[in-house]
Amino acid sequence: MHEMAIAESVLEIVEATARGNAAARVSAVWLELGALSHVEARALLFCFDAVTRGSLAEGATLEILVLPGEAWCMPCGDRVALAKLGDPCPRCGSFQLQVMSGEEMRVKEIAIA
Ligand SMILES: [Zn+2]
């Protein structure tokens, strides 16, 4: 499962950050997720719960902040908003789009105890 690998890498970042701050426990994690990344938020939440069991982030809440996607539309010659991959340009309906942002994933903040 794709989301399981992502949850594991999130946990690695969280654990490294927590240790760097001499934290005994992590109570919450804020994750920025691009709307165009191939990650399903619900599946990720489930996997995060599973991989954090027994770690210092056990029981921590995962808050997912979805960042909007943006693409370059060739016919429009401009940046347009893109809700999800495979969608046409909201202005002209073209599929000649090049994704500019919205595929990223980043641990934004963690709450430690
Ligand atoms: Zn367009």
Side-chain angles (χ1 to χ4, degrees):
M1 197 188 210
H2 172 66
E3 276 81 7
M4 194 57 98
I6 293 166
E8 274 167 3
S9 60
V10 169
L11 177 61
E12 271 174 36
I13 297 166
V14 167
E15 284 189 314
T17 310
R19 282 201 200 97
N21 289 284
R25 227 180 73 75
V26 174
S27 53
V29 178
W30 286 267
L31 185 74
E32 286 183 337
L33 188 65
L36 308 180
S37 61
H38 303 267
V39 179
E40 214 213 305
R42 211 152 33 105
L44 184 57
L45 286 173
F46 175 82
C47 293
F48 184 76
D49 262 0
V51 298
T52 51
R53 226 160 275 161
S55 78
L56 48 74
E58 179 163 4
T61 46
L62 180 64
E63 298 280 353
I64 298 175
L65 313 160
V66 178
L67 302 176
E70 211 177 27
W72 178 263
C73 176
M74 303 270 247
C76 291
D78 202 3
R79 282 169 165 260
V80 294
L82 197 61
K84 64 172 170 40
L85 284 179
D87 274 5
C89 170
R91 273 193 224 165
C92 72
S94 163
F95 285 95
Q96 286 175 273
L97 300 172
Q98 199 177 352
V99 173
M100 310 285 292
S101 67
E103 291 179 303
E104 63 275 31
M105 192 195 73
R106 195 170 71 90
V107 175
K108 188 175 178 244
E109 206 181 322
I110 67 171
I112 52 178

